[in-house]
Amino acid sequence: MINDLQALTDNELYEIGYTQEQINELRAIDYDALLRSMQKTSESKLKDKGYSDAKIAAVKSYSGTEAEMRAAAATLIGTYSPVMFSYANGKTTFSCRLSWNWDTMPVWTFHDIVACSISENMYYNSESYHQVSYYYPDNYNQYYKTIKYSMKPDAPTGIMSNTFDMNLYNTPGGEKGVAKYGYAFFKWDKMGSVPEVAGFIKYGHAIFSITPSISLGADGISFSIEPGLTINEDYNNYYHEYR
């Protein structure tokens, strides 16, 4: 993905929505050089960053191909499930969750985003939240702390999100913690009976320092960072349908 984007001209990047600042950051990325420098890293230090034996082998044997880049890259794993769909006291309530985790510490740790949309003009419920567990960057196997973030509505109805720090070093306190696990809980309400719902749930991983923004269209949720999502680092799903 990154190599494909870097092969485009500035004008072509402008046409698909990139700003000059994003283009400058994209041009500065040298993933090939990064992987080659990682080949000099000891296996024990790579394991401290969460690398499995298979990923360590992929790094050590890297010779410059796109397939090898993908094999060595961090992978985001996501599991979606509905929680509740009920009608009581004249109100319909629907909730769902997204559990996610990184198998290896990502190269880019800026600001990521989780979002959820829903049909039928349902309203955001303030009980929605996103809980993120952070691990030490020097030992991605060692737990550091958990932060519970609030979701925010991105429109009067139908969409909510949370943009969070992947790396707490970027925060004013300069703490040492990188996000590894997360649990996003989305809850919606509407007065009256709503027999079925549908929508999107999505995670966006940024490779730019620019904070992502969000929009909702006929094709679902879109992030301003969408063109920069790296392979295997996005997750989305339709809701299950209930009657």
Side-chain angles (χ1 to χ4, degrees):
M1 168 67 84
I2 294 172
N3 289 345
D4 292 339
L5 290 170
Q6 289 179 327
L8 299 176
T9 66
D10 285 6
N11 286 337
E12 288 171 327
L13 290 168
Y14 285 134
E15 288 176 3
I16 60 175
Y18 277 73
T19 65
Q20 185 59 57
E21 186 177 2
Q22 290 171 325
I23 291 171
N24 292 343
E25 289 199 39
L26 178 64
R27 300 294 185 212
I29 294 172
D30 192 343
Y31 194 44
D32 175 78
L34 176 64
L35 284 176
R36 293 189 186 281
S37 68
M38 287 173 62
Q39 289 180 319
K40 302 174 185 177
T41 305
S42 68
E43 290 190 13
S44 62
K45 287 189 176 181
L46 288 174
K47 285 190 175 182
D48 284 344
K49 291 184 178 295
Y51 280 73
S52 64
D53 289 340
K55 284 194 183 292
I56 290 173
V59 170
K60 294 297 185 181
S61 63
Y62 174 71
S63 64
T65 70
E66 184 74 21
E68 290 170 331
M69 282 187 179
R70 296 182 186 184
T75 301
L76 178 72
I77 302 164
T79 304
Y80 156 79
S81 61
V83 177
M84 178 180 66
F85 192 23
S86 66
Y87 174 71
N89 301 318
K91 182 171 69 174
T92 299
T93 300
F94 176 80
S95 59
C96 62
R97 63 189 175 193
L98 173 68
S99 299
W100 57 265
N101 72 274
W102 289 95
D103 68 339
T104 302
M105 190 169 72
V107 172
W108 295 280
T109 53
F110 299 114
H111 300 93
D112 282 13
I113 185 170
V114 290
C116 179
S117 68
I118 196 168
S119 60
E120 313 309 318
N121 293 318
M122 295 193 75
Y123 292 89
Y124 151 87
N125 184 299
S126 60
E127 294 178 7
S128 304
Y129 65 91
H130 183 210
Q131 187 167 291
V132 179
S133 294
Y134 292 85
Y135 284 64
Y136 285 93
D138 295 331
N139 187 347
Y140 204 47
N141 303 305
Q142 184 179 350
Y143 172 78
Y144 174 60
K145 69 184 294 186
T146 295
I147 298 178
K148 188 175 183 180
Y149 297 99
S150 298
M151 295 288 180
K152 70 175 182 66
D154 294 282
T157 62
I159 188 167
M160 70 172 84
S161 68
N162 168 240
T163 300
F164 63 101
D165 290 296
M166 275 292 290
N167 192 336
L168 295 180
Y169 184 78
N170 299 323
T171 63
E175 299 181 72
K176 292 184 178 180
V178 177
K180 185 174 184 179
Y181 297 100
Y183 175 91
F185 176 73
F186 306 96
K187 187 173 183 180
W188 305 92
D189 295 319
K190 186 176 182 180
M191 298 306 297
S193 175
V194 180
E196 62 182 72
V197 294
F200 295 88
I201 190 167
K202 199 165 188 177
Y203 182 113
H205 177 61
I207 63 169
F208 300 117
S209 61
I210 297 94
T211 301
S213 60
I214 185 172
S215 62
L216 179 63
D219 295 328
I221 298 167
S222 296
F223 301 141
S224 61
I225 57 171
E226 192 104 46
L229 284 173
T230 51
I231 295 169
N232 293 327
E233 294 184 346
D234 65 282
Y235 178 82
N236 62 83
N237 209 323
Y238 288 98
Y239 297 144
H240 295 188
E241 182 179 293
Y242 288 74
R243 292 184 182 276

